[in-house]
Amino acid sequence: MLKIEKKHSLTKYTTLKVSSTADYFAIVKNKNELLEAIAFARAKKQLIFILGGGSNVLLSKTIKGLVIKNEMQGIKVVEKNKSLVLVEASSGEIWSKFVSYTVENKFYGLENLFLIYGTVGAAPVQNIGAYGVELKDCFHHLSAIDLKTGNEKIFSANDCRFGYRDSIFKNKLKGRYFIYSVTVALLRKPDFKLGYGSIGEALKLKGIKKPTAYDVIKTIEEIRNSKLPNPFILPNAGSFFKNPEVNLQTFKNLFVKYPDMPSFQINRSKFKIPAGWLIEQAGLKGKKFGPVRMYEKQALILVNEGGASSKQVLNLVAKVKLAVKKKFGLDLSEEVNII
Ligand code: EPU
């Protein structure tokens, strides 16, 4: 029988650790428990909010409705041929544990996404990405339950409308579905993407010419740990903002003024400017406002030294946006989901 708690604290369930309380709260470990939770919310006319690893959310002080913490577990191979393998993971699995499973089994493709915090279910919502790889590159399909009807639906990659840290689940279908499993298509032979950033160089420096998948994830772990704070030690929610995309004219105008500005070209007329650089140039890197600050080694990460309220976080978010707008005329938008 599903246990539903009233006025339950959510603070320990998010990596940013701001204080928040849910009107109702339940942990679900399988489909039956999920259906029970949906029925409860319907009977009580409560909204439903799904919480995975809590690594990409800023929760407000009180969450009206039923918060469902997803702890559905299980990983299995569903199809295999000479070159490809389809692996299905339940949405409550820890994402990095899933990547480790694929590495141990010599299934290739997810290496660059190692050590991204959060659960499997959140990966397609955000279309998580790092070091030149995004989930969409290996995504096959997902199964979800419609929170309105209880019906099941399969979503192909096309149905998900993946974009940069974006999908249909952040837009048109926000809050509508509970994703309960994600299936990825992985390679049986390695084809590592080492060209982005410092991965290839770091491997060379270590004298590794023909890396194994384990060498790649170990190197990624070292790079990430040197720049990004461990949320279990210093609470944070990863990149707080997206890197803004600008057109060719805006890029040229900025480049004339700031020739050292880093950028990534997306296509002939679109460029991404690192928000971390913009925030640093705007003078907010490492500056403390009460218990919150933009991290001193990577200004894109907002950290909570302890005890911050969502209001204090939002005040800093507003300061950062204003400073970047004033200096560069660019609008930052949040990558973190604000609820
Ligand atoms: N930079 C600065 N100052 C800073 C931070 C960065 O000048 O304080 C400069 C760096 O020197 C570099 C550039 O900005 O020239 C890009 O920095 P970095 O390589 O650290 O990557 P990022 O664009 O800031 C993105 C993702 C990260 C992902 C890394 C590596 C977004 C919003 N963030 O960060 O994703 O790990 O690339 O691929 O796209 C996340 O989504 O939570 C996340 C951590």
Side-chain angles (χ1 to χ4, degrees):
M1 173 88 180
L2 184 71
K3 199 170 148 198
I4 297 184
E5 317 254 12
K6 259 185 159 177
K7 297 282 170 224
H8 192 79
S9 168
L10 300 174
T11 309
K12 71 169 182 190
Y13 299 112
T14 69
T15 59
L16 196 52
K17 300 274 183 295
V18 300
S19 53
S20 174
T21 306
D23 282 352
Y24 295 97
F25 177 81
I27 293 179
V28 302
K29 292 186 188 289
N30 54 53
K31 224 188 244 177
N32 284 342
E33 289 184 350
L34 171 68
L35 294 176
E36 227 181 292
I38 295 174
F40 170 89
R42 237 191 251 163
K44 292 244 178 201
K45 298 205 167 33
Q46 295 292 317
L47 289 171
I48 293 177
F49 171 70
I50 315 284
L51 197 57
S55 59
N56 206 49
V57 283
L58 169 61
L59 299 178
S60 54
K61 208 167 158 213
T62 42
I63 305 288
K64 299 251 163 273
L66 169 66
V67 172
I68 299 177
K69 169 91 171 82
N70 177 5
E71 290 191 1
M72 292 191 185
Q73 306 289 304
I75 300 176
K76 62 175 190 246
V77 170
V78 288
E79 222 179 294
K80 217 179 201 180
N81 64 29
K82 257 190 159 174
S83 53
L84 276 180
V85 56
L86 296 188
V87 192
E88 178 188 292
S90 295
S91 53
E93 285 284 352
I94 302 295
W95 173 260
S96 264
K97 196 183 127 202
F98 178 45
V99 176
S100 300
Y101 163 93
T102 65
V103 168
E104 275 160 27
N105 285 281
K106 299 193 164 53
F107 303 149
Y108 302 97
L110 298 180
E111 303 79 16
N112 293 18
L113 305 181
F114 184 57
L115 221 61
I116 292 182
Y117 295 99
T119 51
V120 165
V125 177
Q126 280 296 108
N127 182 26
I128 56 170
Y131 307 106
V133 174
E134 289 183 334
L135 175 75
K136 74 168 171 42
D137 303 331
C138 296
F139 181 88
H140 192 268
H141 70 270
L142 64 80
S143 306
I145 288 182
D146 188 333
L147 293 172
K148 263 194 190 159
T149 62
N151 293 340
E152 200 174 316
K153 185 173 154 80
I154 306 287
F155 287 80
S156 67
N158 217 15
D159 298 332
C160 293
R161 313 252 172 90
F162 290 125
Y164 168 49
R165 297 297 191 279
D166 202 28
S167 74
I168 196 162
F169 304 106
K170 283 180 94 173
N171 298 296
K172 195 174 152 206
L173 297 183
K174 191 170 179 175
R176 174 80 189 264
Y177 282 91
F178 178 98
I179 294 168
Y180 74 85
S181 72
V182 176
T183 302
V184 290
L186 301 176
L187 298 170
R188 310 281 316 270
K189 282 200 182 117
D191 179 21
F192 303 129
K193 306 270 178 300
L194 306 176
Y196 183 98
S198 37
I199 309 173
E201 279 160 40
L203 283 163
K204 245 188 229 155
L205 272 175
K206 288 201 247 179
I208 299 172
K209 280 192 189 123
K210 270 194 138 196
T212 61
Y214 182 75
D215 293 326
V216 176
I217 65 165
K218 187 88 193 108
T219 304
I220 282 170
E221 184 174 18
E222 286 158 10
I223 296 173
R224 288 186 79 95
N225 285 344
S226 71
K227 280 200 217 171
L228 306 175
N230 180 338
F232 299 106
I233 298 170
L234 187 56
N236 73 83
S239 299
F240 205 95
F241 300 95
K242 293 188 200 181
N243 290 331
E245 294 181 356
V246 300
N247 62 27
L248 183 61
Q249 193 52 50
T250 310
F251 172 74
K252 277 185 180 163
N253 295 345
L254 286 169
F255 195 69
V256 170
K257 260 179 129 176
Y258 307 101
D260 295 334
M261 176 180 78
S263 63
F264 312 103
Q265 184 158 11
I266 304 167
N267 57 38
R268 282 173 84 189
S269 57
K270 257 193 181 172
F271 295 78
K272 249 189 225 172
I273 313 290
W277 183 84
L278 295 168
I279 297 167
E280 179 172 354
Q281 297 300 312
L284 285 169
K285 187 172 184 169
K287 273 219 180 129
K288 210 167 120 66
F289 299 88
V292 287
R293 67 178 192 276
M294 303 313 291
Y295 191 54
E296 50 285 356
K297 290 189 205 162
Q298 164 50 293
L300 191 48
I301 316 269
L302 187 153
V303 298
N304 169 15
E305 281 175 4
S309 64
S310 59
K311 204 171 159 205
Q312 284 170 312
V313 172
L314 289 173
N315 281 343
L316 177 52
V317 168
K319 272 197 180 78
V320 168
K321 284 178 141 183
L322 188 67
V324 169
K325 180 78 177 172
K326 258 188 163 172
K327 189 167 169 84
F328 298 99
L330 296 178
D331 292 305
L332 288 185
S333 60
E334 292 85 356
E335 185 198 307
V336 164
N337 298 301
I338 299 176
I339 287 135

